[in-house]
Amino acid sequence: MKQIFDQFLQFLQQGIAAIFRFVHLVWAWSIDQINKMMQAPWGNWPLWKQVLLVIVIAVVAFILLLAARRLWFAGVRVLAAFVRFLGVLVYTLPTILVAGCIALAGLWAINNLNLSSLPTFTMFQGSSTGSPSQANDKPSGQATAPGTGETTGSRQ
């Protein structure tokens, strides 16, 4: 799965790099053409060529203005989306903090609680030869000697 994800990221990176190379190529070519147009020896041209050059410059300036406006609005939208993204990150912090606390508490419970040491409750106990009150009166580890009523075992 990691290999597929890495391959996808590499494909995405190469695609974005190709788009930026193409954009750079178009921009560089266009700027080069505009520079050549501006360096033309228009002072020696007849009037109709000079007027045509002014019209071409005006159209190019208008098109560049449209492109600049689109880039400006796109930049504003990107910045606004980034600010909204940061706001959502801050807004979700309490939820993420609660999830982390629950994970911490669950891990603590898993590592520290031992449910096998809790007393077990059974509905029916096995039968014994004596009464239940006699069985509970003797300390653990001691038993009654048959027929004597005295306890045997170690004394503490």
Side-chain angles (χ1 to χ4, degrees):
M1 185 67 177
K2 183 182 181 321
Q3 183 181 7
I4 293 171
F5 185 70
D6 289 343
Q7 192 72 24
F8 175 72
L9 285 179
Q10 183 181 13
F11 173 73
L12 196 61
Q13 182 183 17
Q14 289 173 350
I16 291 171
I19 290 170
F20 276 107
R21 280 193 304 270
F22 180 72
V23 168
H24 178 264
L25 178 69
V26 169
W27 277 65
W29 180 84
S30 295
I31 289 173
D32 187 43
Q33 299 308 312
I34 292 169
N35 282 336
K36 285 180 183 178
M37 180 188 68
M38 298 304 284
Q39 294 173 355
W42 56 274
N44 300 335
W45 290 350
L47 184 60
W48 70 270
K49 284 187 177 181
Q50 290 178 359
V51 170
L52 185 60
L53 180 64
V54 168
I55 292 171
V56 168
I57 289 173
V59 170
V60 168
F62 178 73
I63 297 298
L64 289 176
L65 178 66
L66 288 178
R69 283 185 58 206
R70 287 181 182 170
L71 287 172
W72 175 261
F73 290 130
V76 168
R77 287 186 193 119
V78 166
L79 185 59
F82 183 70
V83 168
R84 280 193 301 270
F85 175 68
L86 289 178
V88 169
L89 282 177
V90 171
Y91 181 74
T92 58
L93 278 179
T95 308
I96 300 300
L97 184 63
V98 167
C101 289
I102 291 171
L104 176 67
L107 189 60
W108 180 87
I110 290 169
N111 288 329
N112 294 317
L113 293 181
N114 187 4
L115 297 180
S116 63
S117 66
L118 292 177
T120 57
F121 298 104
T122 58
M123 189 65 113
F124 301 104
Q125 292 184 350
S127 65
S128 63
T129 57
S131 68
S133 62
Q134 289 177 345
N136 291 336
D137 291 341
K138 294 177 184 55
S140 63
Q142 296 181 348
T144 305
T148 63
E150 294 183 12
T151 57
T152 62
S154 62
R155 295 201 177 188
Q156 297 173 345

